[in-house]
Amino acid sequence: MYQLYIANKNYSSWSMRPWLVLQAFDLPFEEIMLPFPSERHTGTFKQDILAINPNGKVPVLMDDGLLLWDSLAICEYLAEQHPEQNLWPKNSQQRARARCIAAEMHSGFTHLRNACGMNIRANLNEMGKRLWQENAELREEVARIEQIWSERPEAQGFLCGEFSIADAFYAPVVTRLMSYALPVSDATQQYMQTMMQHPAMKAWVTAALQEVAWVNYLEPYQHHVL
Ligand SMILES: N[C@@H](CCC(=O)N[C@@H](CS)C(=O)NCC(=O)O)C(=O)O
C-alpha cells in the first residue's frame, strides 16, 4: 500500500496530480493530509513535511520506505510499477506526446500558476476578468493550453486518448479556468466537462468543496469573513 502525503485539496494543485492518478487507476494508497497553516510560517505543516521529506513540499509518495517527492517523478514511478495499466498511453506516439505535455505543464505556465492560484471552492470570476484584461502573459499561456487541448485525438475524449498522467497534470488548470471564469473556446469547455465527469476528478473536487480551512497567503483576492 502506498502512502501519499498531500495538502489541502482546495489549494494544493501539485498534490492533486498524483492523487488523481492513484485514484483513477485504482492503485492501493493511504492518503495522509498535512494541511497548510492559516498564516505563512505558523502551524506544523513545515516541520511535519520536513520530518519525512527534506525538500519540505508535498506531494510525497512513500513506497515501503522509498521516498519520492516530486509529482512527475511520482507518476513516472507509478507507471513503472504498474506496466499492465496504461498510466501513460499505450500508443507510443501518444505516450511521447503525453510526456511532452505533462513536462510542459510541470516546468511552465508560471503566469497562470502565479496569477490564478488553485482555489476550487472560490468564485473569482470578477478577478478573472481583470486579470484577463491586464495580464498578456496569462492570455498567452491559456492560448497555448487551448492549443494543446485542441490536439486531443477525439473531441469527447482525454488529451492523449484514454485518461492518463497527462490529464492529471492539466486537472488543476481545468479548475482554475472555472474558478476564474477565463474566456475559453467551446472545444476547451468540452474537455473541461469531460474532466469534471471523471470519477477521480469528482472525488477530489467534492472533497475540496467540503474543506473549510482558510489559508490566508493563498487567498490574495478574497477576505475571510467569519
Ligand atoms: N515541483 C514540485 C512542486 C511541489 C510544490 O510546490 N508543492 C507545494 C504545494 S502545491 C508545497 O508543498 N508548498 C509548501 C511550501 O512551499 O512550503 C512537484 O511537482 O511536486
Side-chain angles (χ1 to χ4, degrees), residues 7-8 11-18 36 40 45-46 49 53 55-60 69-74 106 113 169 217-218:
N8 311 47
Y11 298 111
S12 184
S13 59
W14 292 113
S15 299
M16 183 181 193
R17 295 169 167 109
F36 290 136
R40 222 186 269 281
F45 171 81
K46 221 28 175 192
I49 190 65
N53 173 20
N55 159 279
K57 293 186 176 185
V58 286
V60 164
W69 66 89
D70 176 274
S71 58
L72 191 51
I74 292 169
H106 190 247
R113 295 218 302 257
F169 266 75
Y217 60 96
L218 299 177

Side-chain angles (χ1 to χ4, degrees), residues 11 23 36 46 63 67 94 155 163 170-171 186 202 221:
Y11 298 111
Q23 186 80 9
F36 290 136
K46 221 28 175 192
D63 183 18
L67 165 74
Q94 287 299 337
F163 180 91
Y170 284 85
D186 289 351
K202 277 190 186 168
Y221 305 129

Side-chain angles (χ1 to χ4, degrees), residues 94-107:
Q94 287 299 337
R95 190 163 64 249
R97 186 180 139 67
R99 282 202 160 101
C100 286
I101 65 178
E104 188 170 345
M105 180 73 239
H106 190 247
S107 62

Side-chain angles (χ1 to χ4, degrees), residues 4-145:
L4 184 72
Y5 291 78
I6 61 171
N8 311 47
K9 288 182 174 156
N10 185 55
Y11 298 111
S12 184
S13 59
W14 292 113
S15 299
M16 183 181 193
R17 295 169 167 109
W19 189 97
L20 286 180
V21 171
L22 286 158
Q23 186 80 9
F25 289 94
D26 212 10
L27 305 179
F29 76 108
E30 177 195 357
E31 169 192 312
I32 300 158
M33 165 78 70
L34 302 177
F36 290 136
S38 54
E39 299 288 346
R40 222 186 269 281
H41 308 305
T42 66
T44 60
F45 171 81
K46 221 28 175 192
Q47 83 194 48
D48 291 347
I49 190 65
L50 280 170
I52 51 156
N53 173 20
N55 159 279
K57 293 186 176 185
V58 286
V60 164
L61 185 82
M62 292 292 277
D63 183 18
D64 203 13
L66 176 67
L67 165 74
L68 293 110
W69 66 89
D70 176 274
S71 58
L72 191 51
I74 292 169
C75 291
E76 284 287 5
Y77 178 78
L78 292 172
E80 211 177 275
Q81 294 299 305
H82 301 276
E84 73 293 350
Q85 301 217 50
N86 299 312
L87 274 60
W88 290 116
K90 195 175 168 64
N91 173 283
S92 70
Q93 289 185 5
Q94 287 299 337
R95 190 163 64 249
R97 186 180 139 67
R99 282 202 160 101
C100 286
I101 65 178
E104 188 170 345
M105 180 73 239
H106 190 247
S107 62
F109 301 114
T110 47
H111 296 282
L112 173 66
R113 295 218 302 257
N114 292 339
C116 304
M118 189 167 92
N119 193 339
I120 290 176
R121 66 175 173 231
N123 177 333
L124 296 162
N125 297 6
E126 286 309 311
M127 185 49 62
K129 270 188 208 150
R130 202 169 120 192
L131 291 166
W132 192 255
Q133 276 170 4
E134 292 174 1
N135 192 331
E137 290 91 352
L138 173 66
R139 293 196 298 273
E140 281 164 23
E141 288 186 357
V142 171
R144 170 63 188 145
I145 288 167

